[in-house]
């Protein structure tokens, strides 16, 4: 029998066993490797070559047909489908030309209108041009006609509107005022407002980002690297979205394409700022830049992955919305966020390591003996802020919560229901024309309600609709395929609350009718606005709690601490409410008090998706530092270390959204201001004061069960930071 001699126990001089490499550590070592960094770069260049060529076709697969913006089950959606199937109204839009003369229309004016009708029918209109309708006071008249549209190319319609405008304006009698309104006129005015703005906005946004990054990094080179990475990622994302829209039925419209670009730039810049700050920190500890980057990626990965996962899953919740446009937006944004995440954690590290320390010129980080950013050794402003919070944490969080609570009071001033006239910051022809119509005719003349009913119920439906208060007149427009198309001219402007009430009353009256009239479908511009508004309200009730639940689950998975996760969720809700209240006061001050109903939901998505990033960045670093230093010192170190980078990210993002104010539409102005206000509140109040003060006041128990009492107890920082495999 052989006697087994036990191995001698390890002595105090024996090194501790090396930790087993994890997926995260291997990933970090790969993207920062001496040889593998080139593999990463080549892979992204190949993706860019493919994605860039596909991204150019994204506009061709956009579907801006009205159905993509409507609730799938709404009456207005069914009305569009009936119109396209039986009355050949697919890809058409109604234009209304309004004529007016202050002293009354002359015989020459009326002769000119008849001449215009003939020319419009011959050269511009898709179908018949209606007879001229002259007001009782003989001051105004109007004609209406359909124009060709294209779901993927708005210029098809706008060019026709411009052609009609030139045809009616050239040679018109002096003093005769001619305006184009109706749906086509409104689309043309919006198109003119946004024409050329994509390039101008992108240039302005990049200019603002570049300036702030220059101030942040104090380097004439470094700011360009993250912008290159973001640009490549957004092109690849657009290419993926194009493929899914082309071959998998993904609904993409102008709104989702625009949101994809904004979120890619915003989220990408945030991720880049966090990673570069961590890389610079490690360069002060390690001479080898590959090792420093591997440690930076490994240390940043939990926060970046948690942020990307939260945003991705939260936006995918939009597929449960009731509107087709909302359902399509979720996957588009999720694709963009995922690809930006991988670009910022692979392409950006590879580029920075390839270029070396010189990209930080003229302030290149060098190895510093005993480098530490804890408040005990730090002398920057964030160390002083952390110290101030630590002295009286309860007073700080109560005071901050009260300030945010006061800001929420502005919510009482929020009013929805913008009219067409309230959607532009200046005067446009479609608004002026609508005002003329409202003054001299039934205000709904430019956009009557459409009623589609089976032929057998047409007479009963017409009689029922005519009795509804708020209806000026009912006419039979056409009958085809067993269906009759009635039009109901409303007394009130088609975009007014009173007109929406009338449409509700029409639907209710028809529902109570006998026979086939009870199955009539009511559509048209006012019905669309009504159905969209009601659907947006339903989506708010469903999606906001669902997204909050997603955020809570992601925080629980990330922090493994119930108290901390609930505390952060409450801070998100309070911050959003304060942002809406403060923005509402700004809207009133700018004389744009009313908002579009969709601003609430999409403002919430932007603020939660982007604002929660900063809290995740802070708390993931806090959890790391607490395990090294103890609870109090760990919280204060996290505030000190992340203060500069999170503030820079918040200021950059807020400034980027403020650029939207350059667009002369009220919705763009309001969206930019709401998101900017919310981001700044998250940056300067929630993340800097409220969250760290609450964490200090609640004490180590906020980390349970994720961290034990021993790990959160005060101790000297003697542990080493996580190791990663050597870069290859």
């Amino acid at each position: 029998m052989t006697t087994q001699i036990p191995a001698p126990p390890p002595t105090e001089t024996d090194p501790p066993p090396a930790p087993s490499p994890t997926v995260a550590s291997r990933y970090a070592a790969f993207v920062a490797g001496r040889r593998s960094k080139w593999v990463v770069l080549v892979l992204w260049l190949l993706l860019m070559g493919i994605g860039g060529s596909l991204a150019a076709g994204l506009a061709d697969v956009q579907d801006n047909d009205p159905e993509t913006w409507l609730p799938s089950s709404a009456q207005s959606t069914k009305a569009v489908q009936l119109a396209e199937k039986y009355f050949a109204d697919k890809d058409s839009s109604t234009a209304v030309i309004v004529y007016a003369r202050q002293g009354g229309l002359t015989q020459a004016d009326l002769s000119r209108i008849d001449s215009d009708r003939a020319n419009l029918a011959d050269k511009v209109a898709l179908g018949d041009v209606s007879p001229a309708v002259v007001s009782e006071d003989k001051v105004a008249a109007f004609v209406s006609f359909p124009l060709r549209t294209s779901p993927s190319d708005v210029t098809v319609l706008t060019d026709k509107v411009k052609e009609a405008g030139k045809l009616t304006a050239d040679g018109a009698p002096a003093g005769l005022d001619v305006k184009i309104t109706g749906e086509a006129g409104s689309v043309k005015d919006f198109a003119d407002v946004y024409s050329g703005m994509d390039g101008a906005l992108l240039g302005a946004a990049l200019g603002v980002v570049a300036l702030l990054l220059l101030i942040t990094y104090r380097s004439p080179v470094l700011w360009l690297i993250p912008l290159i990475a973001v640009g490549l990622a957004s092109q690849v994302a657009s290419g993926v979205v194009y493929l899914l829209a082309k071959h998998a039925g993904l609904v993409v419209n102008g709104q989702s394409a625009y949101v994809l670009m904004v979120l890619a730039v915003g989220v990408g810049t945030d991720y880049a700022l966090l990673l570069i700050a961590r890389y610079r920190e490690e360069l002060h500890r390690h001479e080898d830049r590959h090792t420093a980057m591997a440690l930076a990626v490994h240390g940043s990965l939990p926060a970046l992955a948690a942020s990307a996962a939260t945003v991705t899953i939260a936006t995918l919740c939009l597929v449960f919305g009731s509107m087709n446009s909302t359902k399509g937006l979720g996957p588009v944004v999720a694709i963009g966020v995922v690809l930006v995440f991988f670009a910022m954690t692979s392409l950006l590290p590879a580029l920075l390591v390839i270029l070396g320390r010189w990209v930080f010129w003229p302030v290149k980080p060098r190895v510093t003996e005993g480098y530490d950013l804890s408040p005990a050794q730090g002398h920057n402003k964030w160390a002083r802020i952390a110290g101030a919070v630590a002295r009286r944490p309860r007073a700080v969080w109560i005071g901050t919560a009260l300030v945010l609570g006061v800001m929420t009071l502005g919510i009482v001033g929020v009013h929805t229901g913008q009219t067409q006239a309230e959607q532009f910051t200046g005067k446009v022809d479609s608004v002026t024309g609508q005002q003329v119509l409202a003054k001299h005719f039934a205000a709904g003349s430019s956009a009557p309600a459409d009623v589609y009913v089976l032929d057998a119920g047409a007479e009963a439906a017409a009689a029922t609709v005519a009795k509804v208060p708020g209806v000026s007149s009912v006419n039979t427009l056409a009958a085809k395929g067993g269906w009759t198309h009635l039009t109901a001219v409303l007394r009130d402007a088609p975009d007014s609350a009173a007109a929406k009430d009338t449409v509700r009353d029409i639907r209710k009256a028809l529902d109570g009718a006998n026979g086939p009239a009870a199955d009539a479908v009511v559509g048209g511009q006012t019905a669309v606005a009504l159905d969209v508004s009601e659907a947006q309200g339903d989506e708010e009730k469903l999606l906001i709690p669902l997204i909050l639940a997603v955020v809570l689950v992601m925080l629980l998975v990330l922090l493994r601490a119930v108290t901390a996760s609930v505390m952060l969720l409450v801070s998100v809700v309070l911050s959003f409410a304060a942002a809406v209240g403060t923005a509402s006061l700004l809207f009133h001050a700018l004389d744009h008090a009313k908002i579009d109903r969709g601003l609430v939901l999409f403002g919430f998505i932007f603020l939660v998706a982007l604002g929660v990033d900063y809290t995740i960045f802070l708390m993931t670093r806090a959890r790391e530092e607490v395990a090294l230093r103890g609870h109090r010192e760990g919280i204060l170190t996290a505030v000190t270390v992340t203060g500069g980078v999170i503030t820079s990210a918040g200021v950059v993002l807020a400034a980027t959204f403020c650029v939207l104010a350059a667009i002369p539409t009220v919705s763009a102005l309001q969206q930019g201001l709401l998101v900017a206000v919310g981001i700044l509140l998250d940056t300067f109040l929630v993340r800097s004061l409220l969250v760290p003060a609450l964490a200090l006041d609640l004490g180590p128990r906020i980390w349970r069960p994720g961290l034990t009492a021993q790990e959160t107890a005060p101790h000297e920082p003697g542990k080493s930071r996580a190791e990663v495999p050597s870069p290859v």
Side-chain angles (χ1 to χ4, degrees), residues 418 421-425 583-595 666 669-670 673:
Q418 282 181 348
E422 293 167 335
Q423 293 174 353
F424 296 91
T425 57
S584 175
L585 296 177
L586 289 175
F587 300 159
H588 280 270
L590 295 172
D591 199 25
H592 299 303
K594 288 186 180 179
I595 66 169
V666 174
L669 172 67
Q670 291 176 336
L673 286 178

Side-chain angles (χ1 to χ4, degrees), residues 139-460:
V139 170
F142 73 88
V143 298
S144 61
F145 52 93
L147 291 174
R148 171 68 65 196
T149 67
S150 169
S152 60
D153 188 1
V154 72
T155 60
V156 172
L157 176 61
T158 57
D159 287 348
K160 285 296 183 181
V161 175
K162 291 175 182 177
E163 186 179 346
K166 188 175 187 303
L167 187 151
T168 54
D170 288 351
L176 180 65
D177 192 23
V178 184
K179 302 293 182 185
I180 301 182
T181 186
E183 182 184 56
S186 180
V187 171
K188 180 260 183 186
D189 285 338
F190 271 108
D192 285 349
V193 163
Y194 283 96
S195 177
M197 290 303 296
D198 285 349
L201 279 177
L202 183 59
L206 292 177
V208 169
V209 171
L211 176 61
L212 292 173
L213 289 180
L214 274 170
I215 295 172
T216 300
Y217 293 135
R218 291 170 291 172
S219 167
V221 179
L222 183 57
W223 64 271
L224 190 58
I225 311 305
L227 292 185
I228 291 174
V230 168
L232 289 174
S234 64
Q235 286 296 297
V236 175
S238 296
V240 173
V241 170
Y242 167 81
L243 288 175
L244 293 175
K246 183 79 172 176
H247 303 291
L250 178 65
V251 177
V252 182
N253 53 37
Q255 181 192 52
S256 53
Y258 165 75
V259 171
L260 172 64
M261 180 189 73
V262 173
L263 262 185
V265 173
V267 172
T269 303
D270 280 0
Y271 293 175
L273 284 165
L274 183 70
L275 178 69
I276 292 173
R278 193 66 179 258
Y279 178 44
R280 174 180 261 160
E281 186 181 331
E282 296 298 341
L283 285 174
H284 282 289
R285 298 191 180 101
H286 301 274
E287 184 64 42
D288 181 50
R289 67 181 188 274
H290 300 86
T291 300
M293 180 56 80
L295 287 166
V297 173
H298 185 262
S300 303
L301 208 54
L304 297 182
S307 170
T310 301
V311 177
T312 299
I313 298 174
T315 53
L316 284 176
C317 291
L318 297 181
V319 300
F320 298 107
S322 57
M323 297 209 317
N324 296 330
S325 57
T326 303
K327 293 178 180 180
L329 178 63
V332 171
V333 172
I335 290 166
V337 171
V338 169
L339 285 169
V340 164
F341 164 74
F342 280 110
M344 294 302 104
T345 57
S346 59
L347 176 60
L348 178 61
L351 287 172
L352 290 171
V353 174
I354 288 170
L355 295 171
R357 292 177 187 258
W358 74 269
V359 296
F360 290 93
W361 183 87
V363 186
K364 290 190 257 184
R366 303 188 182 279
V367 175
T368 305
E369 188 69 27
Y371 182 77
D372 190 12
L373 288 175
S374 67
Q377 297 189 29
H379 300 287
N380 62 32
K381 61 184 178 182
W382 286 104
R384 293 192 293 272
I385 291 173
V389 172
R391 282 192 291 273
R392 300 187 64 188
R394 182 166 298 177
V396 170
W397 77 256
I398 290 176
T400 306
L402 286 173
V403 170
L404 292 171
V406 170
M407 291 179 173
T408 65
L409 297 178
I411 290 178
V412 299
V414 174
H415 300 289
T416 60
Q418 282 181 348
T419 65
Q420 182 183 354
E422 293 167 335
Q423 293 174 353
F424 296 91
T425 57
K427 284 286 187 181
V428 294
D429 281 359
S430 61
V431 172
T432 304
Q434 178 58 44
Q435 290 170 340
V436 172
L437 283 175
K439 183 177 181 181
H440 299 283
F441 300 91
S445 299
S446 64
D450 296 308
V451 180
Y452 298 93
V453 60
L454 290 169
D455 290 343
E459 186 176 345

